[in-house]
Amino acid sequence: MTSAGGDFIPVFLYHAVMADPPDWIAEFTVAPKEFAAHLDTIVDSGRTPVTISAVADHLAGRAPLPPRPVLLTFDDGFADLPGPTAEALADRSLPATAYLTTGAITPGGRSLLPPAPMMRLGEAAGLERAGLEIGSHTVTHAQLDTLSGKDLAYELRTSKDVLEDALGHPVRHLAYPHGYNSPRVRAMSARAGYETATAVRHALSSRRDERYRIARLIVRRGHTVADVRAWLAGDGARVAPYRDGPRTIGWRWYRRGRALLHGPEFAG
């Protein structure tokens, strides 16, 4: 599929960058050598790398985006992020956005993420100095669209507060764990003080995308440089915004039923 027009925005979603990841995250892990090749392809594309704040400013009508933007995002806060991953980005002068799961990176914190090497909350300020903007990825990484209003408010507000205390400034952006959201989740995210929220959708974003459901391309272990090159050219994925299909809506209702029986579950 080729995008119509030139307003598409590739927003890449990475998780861990490591050679030997835990089994549960292996499908969403890119080896360091392949990651370097992805970054070199992005640099060679001539696209202008931006952070989520630039997209937010455009969608709010405050400032235009540069021609041919591209956005790199990282979810969860794995241990590689403040080390070799940030270094690989800095070596190529590539800014990025990191969405951190506060319960997984805070000593003594609680999250639903299975065991894995994670960064520490105290390293978040260093990420900013390295050129990464920080956003929230909730406290526990639960499926937000299955939570009660009270639990959802806790996930949205507490993660924001923890990051703001650590960084000393407002945190304006959110990523839904595994992209799970709903009209209620989007409305509560806005009320919690977020200016944007990114989903997954495995689609290209655009200059017309929804501010609280920005589409991202989830990078899996099997994706190649050819896939990255195609996405940068606007090929191989549909372009947001578009409505949820019946399968997405049906899957949401199934997960809600499970949550009623078993309680909050890991979004993954």
Side-chain angles (χ1 to χ4, degrees):
M1 181 183 298
T2 302
S3 68
D7 70 342
F8 68 91
I9 305 171
V11 182
F12 292 86
L13 165 53
Y14 287 94
H15 288 85
V17 179
M18 60 180 73
D20 188 23
D23 288 345
W24 70 271
I25 196 62
E27 177 64 22
F28 303 107
T29 297
V30 178
K33 183 177 179 180
E34 281 69 34
F35 180 63
H38 289 189
L39 297 186
D40 290 339
T41 301
I42 291 166
V43 171
D44 292 344
S45 74
R47 286 190 164 272
T48 303
V50 298
T51 64
I52 191 63
S53 280
V55 176
D57 288 343
H58 164 75
L59 293 175
R62 292 189 294 261
L65 278 166
R68 305 181 69 235
V70 61
L71 175 57
L72 298 172
T73 69
F74 298 82
D75 279 9
D76 299 328
F78 290 94
D80 62 272
L81 187 56
T85 297
E87 291 169 10
L89 293 165
D91 287 345
R92 296 164 177 81
S93 300
L94 290 171
T97 301
Y99 295 104
L100 304 181
T101 305
T102 57
I105 65 172
T106 302
R110 181 182 67 87
S111 85
L112 297 172
L113 286 172
M118 305 299 293
M119 62 173 280
R120 299 182 304 277
L121 179 62
E123 296 175 297
L127 283 178
E128 288 193 323
R129 291 191 294 271
L132 284 84
E133 184 171 24
I134 303 300
S136 165
H137 200 41
T138 74
V139 179
T140 71
H141 207 280
Q143 299 178 18
L144 297 185
D145 56 346
T146 70
L147 299 181
S148 68
K150 179 181 178 181
D151 288 344
L152 177 57
Y154 168 80
E155 294 283 350
L156 297 174
R157 297 180 184 276
T158 302
S159 57
K160 191 174 191 295
D161 290 345
V162 167
L163 291 171
E164 289 178 346
D165 286 346
L167 298 170
H169 61 73
V171 170
R172 304 186 296 147
H173 308 292
L174 170 72
Y176 306 121
H178 210 66
Y180 290 144
N181 69 93
S182 66
R184 181 180 69 116
V185 172
R186 296 193 290 273
M188 287 189 65
S189 299
R191 289 198 294 272
Y194 294 104
E195 290 191 16
T196 70
T198 51
V200 178
R201 316 200 86 184
H202 197 63
L204 293 154
S205 184
S206 74
R207 296 172 188 268
R208 300 171 290 104
D209 209 350
E210 300 169 76
R211 197 150 49 118
Y212 291 97
R213 190 163 51 165
I214 296 169
R216 295 190 288 175
L217 297 154
I218 188 165
V219 183
R220 296 174 181 264
R221 174 172 52 184
H223 285 132
T224 66
V225 165
D227 294 313
V228 172
R229 190 175 293 117
W231 295 331
L232 290 164
D235 296 329
R238 69 190 301 183
V239 180
Y242 55 86
R243 293 182 178 179
D244 286 337
R247 290 179 63 183
T248 298
I249 295 171
W251 177 235
R252 181 181 304 143
W253 281 106
Y254 169 77
R255 291 184 293 100
R256 285 177 177 170
R258 281 186 57 90
L260 288 173
L261 291 172
H262 304 292
E265 295 187 330
F266 168 57

